[in-house]
Amino acid sequence: MRKFLILSFSLFQLLSLQAQQTQKPPLHAKNWLAITGKPLAATAGAAIFQKGGNAVDAACAMIAATCTMWDVLSWGGETQALIYNPHTGKVIGINALGVAPTGATPEFFKGKGMKYVPEYGPLAAVTPGTPGGICTMLAEYGTMSLKDVLTPAMQMAAGYPIEAQTANSMERGKERIKQWPYSKAVFLPHAGQEREAPEAGEIFKQNDLLETLRKMVEAEQQALKKGKNRKDAIYAAYARFYTGDIAKEFVRGCQEQGGLITEADLAKWKVRIEEPMSVNYKGVDVYKLQQWTQGPAMLQMLNILENFDLKSMGYNSARYIHTVTQAMQLAFADRDFYYGDPYFAPEEPMKGLLSKEYAKERAKLINPTKNLSPALPGDPYPFEGQTNPFANFLQQWSSNKPLVYTPPDEKYMEKLWLGTTSVEAADSAGWVVSVTPSGGWLPACIAGKTGVGMSQRMQSFVLDSVLDPFNVVEPGKHPRVTLTPTLAMKDGKPFLSFAVQGGDTQDQNLLQFFLNVTEFGMTVQEAVEAPNVNTNQLYLSLGGEDRKPKPGSLLVNSNTPDWIRRELMKMGYKLMYEDRTSGPVNAIYFDSRHGSMWGGSSNHGEDYGVGW
């Protein structure tokens, strides 16, 4: 009787959730949709659409605009994207992630007494990727000029009314910012006053960044005058950033402040156009970027969960929460040990990791009444006909003493949730873009007079092969990042495009959003606002030295009923509570029945969109 009551209530909970109004209305559009984390940036995307641009043009304009606003990323960061090309019917991956610079070795950082690469400053910087990412996406798949697409960002760099959230972040981080002269000059215009950062609503000007963007556009326009076509002209702007005068000043400013990036590092780096990875979940093909992101972990989760009847458990019942959490923890254990840069040896065992047979074996580890702690990496090599070359490292993982639970403190949770933004764009011609750009967030170190903040992404490497033999820092290598856009196809057509800000929570939020739609029939807006859970039983990808898993630590929504809380605690979970646990997920649902698009943007932040 008890199980029946819990299940019945869970179904009632689902029906109530679907019947009630969401805090934000869904967006409806026929011609185009532009959704991102900043209203001004969504407006930039809308302006490009109104000029006749496609979804790639609009996405590039939104990335450029958000990079100019600093709160969650900047121009020296990285861009990860999935693009659906309606002309080929294929999903394309864009790898515009920077790489470790010359001299970035485990010995270098260990020689400075470090257990991880620093969180902030020049020594945390990989080569900038976003300028190259925007240029490549635009040149290969867009229709407009770089000048048109960068116009909104350049107008903002000339001066825009700054938001309180960003301005206050500058003020809170001012002691660190003062260590870096070029950052201080930009972020603290009222030096010496009680409040040194801009005030909310103040016109925030970035003259050096404006000049950098002007130089890129100038390179494009000069190439056009010489008879170059649109594509080659955009690549002329790319070249000026990575091999011209912009590159020289970036490197000078980086090295002046103690960074490692060289001109050769910038010149050798390139954007990679890749084939993404995918699995089929109950008739839906879900696409993620390769293992230099954590994206394939969500694919592993789906493979594991395909072995369970989730719908019958009831939305956010104790059994459902437990099963989903166990799948997440098992997939993250594999992520922590096996993911890394596919362009460097050793080769990651992705065929085995994403096989349905391996997932069935992982699913067998899920005890229906008890949290698996620790959740350890498995051995996917037999599932691709090989022997694991790192069995000795796996043995060290399993022979370690069980971790003692310590409650996550405020700093730990900040690193777990550390945000960026997401960009979703689609048009009636069939182009779809999902992007999770990031890097160079506040407090950022600006490289010389470029106005470009350097990325902090090198901290996602490890210095010890035992932790992850595929993700040890090395010059020229991409770190394994948390950034993970998603596209889903059904019957050969776009079905969902979705992404979320955050660190290690990203694929947790995205998994549950996807299940909300596919298993429980929620609308896209209901799905982005619906409560979900987040496990802390994983290694943090960002932060200081406290990166170890928190056994059983689980964040649940404050509205979780008492009896579900008690069931979870009996299973070994240590619960934390928040009013909003959904993300900020941004998503587009393609309504093939009506020939329209639904846009969803969670109630967690200021993310929203514009459609027509």
Side-chain angles (χ1 to χ4, degrees):
M1 177 64 72
R2 176 184 173 86
K3 289 182 178 178
F4 173 77
L5 288 173
I6 291 174
L7 177 58
S8 297
F9 187 87
S10 299
L11 292 174
F12 172 77
Q13 210 178 5
L14 169 63
L15 293 171
S16 298
L17 181 66
Q18 288 181 295
Q20 71 181 14
Q21 282 193 328
T22 54
Q23 291 188 10
K24 287 182 179 179
L27 298 163
H28 292 280
K30 183 178 74 170
N31 296 303
W32 52 261
L33 263 175
I35 308 175
T36 189
K38 295 288 184 182
L40 283 176
T43 304
I48 295 299
F49 273 130
Q50 293 283 41
K51 288 183 177 180
N54 71 4
V56 179
D57 299 319
C60 289
M62 287 192 279
I63 297 167
T66 55
C67 286
T68 307
M69 299 179 74
W70 283 104
D71 179 41
V72 288
L73 72 166
S74 73
W75 275 93
E78 47 272 352
T79 288
Q80 297 69 216
L82 290 169
I83 300 172
Y84 175 70
N85 183 339
H87 302 307
T88 63
K90 300 290 186 181
V91 179
I92 305 142
I94 300 294
N95 176 348
L97 171 64
V99 298
T102 300
T105 64
E107 294 73 25
F108 173 82
F109 292 106
K110 288 180 179 179
K112 293 181 174 294
M114 300 175 182
K115 293 183 179 179
Y116 288 95
V117 175
E119 295 178 65
Y120 299 102
L123 286 180
V126 293
T127 54
T130 290
I134 288 175
C135 288
T136 300
M137 290 168 63
L138 185 64
E140 299 294 335
Y141 308 108
T143 67
M144 302 179 79
S145 69
L146 186 66
K147 179 180 180 180
D148 286 336
V149 166
L150 291 191
T151 292
M154 294 176 73
Q155 290 172 343
M156 294 176 71
Y160 76 95
I162 196 169
E163 303 161 308
Q165 182 178 344
T166 306
N168 291 339
S169 182
M170 293 173 180
E171 180 68 14
R172 287 194 303 271
K174 66 182 180 182
E175 294 309 314
R176 191 183 298 273
I177 288 170
K178 288 177 182 179
Q179 301 174 31
W180 308 313
Y182 303 103
S183 297
K184 179 181 176 181
V186 174
F187 301 138
L188 305 177
H190 309 300
Q193 299 181 24
E194 183 176 353
R195 182 183 175 93
E196 299 181 272
E199 296 179 354
E202 181 177 334
I203 303 302
F204 177 54
K205 297 180 180 180
Q206 303 171 73
N207 294 328
D208 288 343
L209 176 60
L210 178 60
E211 179 62 11
T212 292
L213 300 182
R214 189 200 63 77
K215 288 178 178 179
M216 292 179 68
V217 169
E218 180 182 69
E220 176 199 44
Q221 296 301 304
Q222 288 177 348
L224 288 171
K225 289 179 181 178
K226 293 177 181 179
K228 298 288 186 181
N229 60 31
R230 186 192 72 90
K231 181 176 176 178
D232 289 343
I234 293 171
Y235 281 126
Y238 180 118
R240 186 167 186 180
F241 188 96
Y242 288 96
T243 61
D245 55 342
I246 300 172
K248 290 182 182 299
E249 176 58 17
F250 183 97
V251 169
R252 187 203 66 77
C254 170
Q255 293 185 355
E256 176 193 336
Q257 298 173 95
L260 299 175
I261 297 172
T262 68
E263 289 185 41
D265 292 330
L266 291 186
K268 286 189 294 185
W269 179 84
K270 62 180 180 180
V271 177
R272 295 183 182 270
I273 300 174
E274 303 175 337
E275 183 176 344
M277 295 185 164
S278 67
V279 300
N280 184 279
Y281 180 82
K282 299 183 179 181
V284 178
D285 293 310
V286 183
Y287 289 84
K288 286 286 195 176
L289 291 166
Q290 294 183 16
Q291 64 270 25
W292 53 273
T293 75
Q294 71 173 357
M298 180 179 154
L299 304 182
Q300 287 189 248
M301 297 169 200
L302 290 172
N303 279 347
I304 293 171
L305 292 172
E306 206 169 31
N307 295 283
F308 299 89
D309 185 355
L310 298 177
K311 190 172 184 178
S312 71
M313 296 179 186
Y315 168 75
N316 273 6
S317 67
R319 187 179 172 199
Y320 175 79
I321 290 173
H322 172 66
T323 305
V324 169
T325 299
Q326 295 302 290
M328 293 194 301
Q329 291 174 176
L330 288 166
F332 276 122
D334 283 339
R335 177 207 72 168
D336 290 339
F337 187 77
Y338 288 111
Y339 287 24
D341 187 348
Y343 302 102
F344 275 67
E347 181 181 357
E348 297 82 4
M350 300 312 297
K351 182 180 177 182
L353 286 167
L354 294 182
S355 70
K356 299 288 187 180
E357 294 74 20
Y358 178 67
K360 287 179 181 177
E361 292 302 309
R362 298 294 270 168
K364 291 176 183 177
L365 297 174
I366 297 178
N367 183 327
T369 62
K370 186 179 179 181
N371 176 48
L372 180 64
S373 180
L376 297 172
D379 187 355
Y381 282 93
F383 296 87
E384 51 184 51
Q386 298 186 53
T387 301
N388 196 328
F390 301 107
N392 58 327
F393 291 162
L394 278 181
Q395 181 61 35
Q396 290 184 56
W397 274 60
S398 59
S399 62
N400 285 340
K401 292 181 180 179
L403 292 167
V404 177
Y405 173 76
T406 54
D409 57 18
E410 185 176 343
K411 185 177 180 181
Y412 180 96
M413 294 305 294
E414 178 188 347
K415 301 308 175 190
L416 180 74
W417 282 90
L418 194 61
T420 172
T421 196
S422 58
V423 170
E424 304 297 319
D427 61 42
S428 57
W431 288 96
V432 184
V433 188
S434 181
V435 196
T436 316
S438 189
W441 53 77
L442 292 171
C445 180
I446 292 177
K449 298 288 287 181
T450 64
V452 174
M454 289 184 274
S455 172
Q456 304 93 339
R457 192 58 60 175
M458 195 152 59
Q459 65 182 293
S460 291
F461 281 114
V462 298
L463 304 182
D464 189 341
S465 295
V466 174
L467 290 175
D468 181 350
F470 304 90
N471 189 38
V472 179
V473 67
E474 183 177 344
K477 191 174 186 178
H478 300 89
R480 194 270 300 154
V481 297
T482 57
L483 306 158
T484 174
T486 322
L487 283 179
M489 306 285 290
K490 190 174 184 179
D491 300 325
K493 299 176 182 178
F495 175 57
L496 286 168
S497 175
F498 54 109
V500 66
Q501 72 171 49
D504 298 287
T505 61
Q506 286 185 38
D507 277 308
Q508 303 187 50
N509 295 143
L510 296 177
L511 171 73
Q512 291 167 84
F513 161 82
F514 178 78
L515 295 174
N516 290 344
V517 175
T518 56
E519 293 286 356
F520 298 107
M522 296 187 198
T523 68
V524 67
Q525 187 60 40
E526 289 167 343
V528 299
E529 290 194 21
N532 60 34
V533 299
N534 287 277
T535 178
N536 299 323
Q537 194 169 304
L538 47 75
Y539 276 90
L540 286 184
S541 302
L542 300 167
E545 296 184 1
D546 181 20
R547 301 196 190 190
K548 291 183 178 179
K550 305 291 184 182
S553 177
L554 190 67
L555 176 69
V556 300
N557 192 270
S558 301
N559 291 329
T560 304
D562 288 343
W563 53 89
I564 293 179
R565 297 184 186 196
R566 289 194 295 269
E567 287 290 322
L568 291 171
M569 287 188 282
K570 284 180 183 178
M571 294 174 178
Y573 293 105
K574 298 168 179 66
L575 304 182
M576 301 182 297
Y577 306 95
E578 291 285 349
D579 292 337
R580 295 179 181 178
T581 54
S582 62
V585 181
N586 288 321
I588 299 174
Y589 164 71
F590 299 91
D591 187 344
S592 58
R593 180 165 161 251
H594 297 105
S596 64
M597 295 174 273
W598 292 56
S601 193
S602 108
N603 58 334
H604 196 281
E606 60 187 341
D607 302 47
Y608 217 40
V610 183
W612 187 250

